[in-house]
Amino acid sequence: MPADLSPSDKAKFLAAKRAVDYVKDGMRVGLGTGSTAAWMVRCLGERIREEGLKITGVPTSRRTYDLAQQVGVPVATLEETRWLDLTIDGADEYDSQLNLIKGGGGALLQEKIVATASDQMIVIADITKQVETLGAFPLPVEVIKFGWQTTKLLIEETLINMDVMGRECSLRMNVDEPYITDEGNYILDLHLRRIAKPSQLSLVLNQIPGVVENGLFIDICDVLVIGHQDGRVEVRDINNGTVENERIDILEEDNLFQDLSD
């Protein structure tokens, strides 16, 4: 592990390192998108090089595809694999029920498709992503370009009847142009501050014409792996109802990927 990692990156790295222990020979693995998921892809590349691990990865974005190629993780499309053994991905927020907000990296649509096409979803995060109630992180909603202003208006009107604290809705930008997802859509970020009923909100949002998908991941996560800055890793398994704490000791000279970019 690089000596110059920030405390936050160290926690993300530890979570990723522990999560890839779930990956076994012959598995088809969904590869998430984002800074924490990037560590996971690198750790898989390390296992492939060091252990001869044989897997097939299904990336959830072009960025993840490029990184997987760079570190030697074999990739395929979901059309080719059809179904996956597990998916490992990060989260922007998680609550005590392992409900998530995802999509800060702009890949929520492919991430949700891949996660729900898996026998198991493992989420990796650091403790700063934990919240009592979802909503502090803006909720991404992917919408088609056609009529997006009307879709935005419909979303704002719908939020009036939802149990949320804020209703501001903004178009995500990439410098001075709208951000474009891998599927060619826009993203609206909903600044809700608190989402009292995430399941209800998710269902209602997806009924609005023009909405493709939203970043609420409800009842999808099976295992949460939380990295801590002091070297501890907490593993919460919602299906077994277990919480385990471990410590991972990693030698700095063992790092094989410190020069790779996210």
Side-chain angles (χ1 to χ4, degrees):
M1 184 171 62
D4 59 351
L5 273 186
S6 69
S8 176
D9 280 337
K10 178 180 179 182
K12 294 176 182 180
F13 175 82
L14 291 170
K17 189 75 172 178
R18 175 61 180 87
V20 298
D21 288 344
Y22 285 89
V23 180
K24 309 301 180 186
D25 262 333
M27 279 190 169
R28 296 158 296 179
V29 183
L31 307 176
T33 295
S35 60
T36 310
W39 284 116
M40 174 271 300
V41 176
R42 293 165 177 163
C43 288
L44 283 176
E46 183 182 28
R47 287 195 61 193
I48 289 170
R49 294 189 298 272
E50 295 295 305
E51 304 171 22
L53 180 71
K54 294 180 173 58
I55 64 167
T56 300
V58 175
T60 54
S61 68
R62 182 69 197 186
R63 297 193 306 280
T64 299
Y65 172 88
D66 291 342
L67 179 59
Q69 293 280 80
Q70 187 178 359
V71 301
V73 177
V75 295
T77 65
L78 188 59
E79 288 75 17
E80 292 169 329
T81 59
R82 303 294 294 274
W83 196 259
L84 306 177
D85 297 288
L86 61 86
T87 286
I88 306 177
D89 203 349
D92 298 302
E93 279 188 352
Y94 62 87
D95 65 16
S96 61
Q97 302 302 309
L98 305 195
N99 294 317
L100 321 169
I101 286 182
K102 289 180 51 56
L108 65 101
L109 177 58
Q110 292 188 25
E111 287 174 333
K112 188 174 282 191
I113 292 172
V114 168
T116 54
S118 305
D119 289 334
Q120 186 178 40
M121 184 190 188
I122 300 170
V123 171
I124 50 179
D126 63 90
I127 195 65
T128 64
K129 303 298 177 65
Q130 179 174 304
V131 295
E132 289 188 12
T133 305
L134 297 177
F137 190 90
L139 174 64
V141 177
E142 187 159 341
V143 301
I144 65 170
K145 293 179 182 179
F146 176 80
W148 72 268
Q149 296 96 333
T150 301
T151 303
K152 177 176 178 290
L153 178 62
L154 290 171
I155 290 174
E156 291 169 339
E157 290 180 346
T158 298
L159 291 175
I160 294 174
N161 299 313
M162 295 289 102
D163 193 353
V164 296
M165 288 186 65
R167 296 196 297 272
E168 180 186 350
C169 183
S170 60
L171 177 67
R172 184 176 298 186
M173 302 296 291
N174 182 14
V175 190
D176 56 353
E177 297 288 339
Y179 178 89
I180 306 296
T181 70
D182 283 354
E183 297 299 317
N185 299 315
Y186 287 162
I187 287 182
L188 298 175
D189 288 312
L190 279 52
H191 304 268
L192 307 177
R193 296 164 53 195
R194 179 183 62 83
I195 303 172
K197 300 176 181 179
S199 295
Q200 180 189 49
L201 179 61
S202 179
L203 289 172
V204 170
L205 286 173
N206 282 3
Q207 292 175 356
I208 297 174
V211 170
V212 181
E213 189 53 83
N214 70 82
L216 286 166
F217 283 53
I218 310 298
D219 298 328
I220 297 177
C221 174
D222 297 290
V223 176
L224 174 64
V225 182
I226 306 168
H228 293 262
Q229 298 174 8
D230 61 1
R232 291 181 298 117
V233 174
E234 180 181 344
V235 181
R236 303 180 189 175
D237 189 319
I238 195 168
N239 297 315
N240 295 333
T242 58
V243 178
E244 299 178 358
N245 285 279
E246 308 171 11
R247 182 171 293 277
I248 298 180
D249 295 319
I250 303 171
L251 299 176
E252 292 177 1
E253 58 266 28
D254 287 341
N255 175 62
L256 299 175
F257 39 80
Q258 58 186 8
D259 294 329
L260 298 178
S261 60
D262 275 4

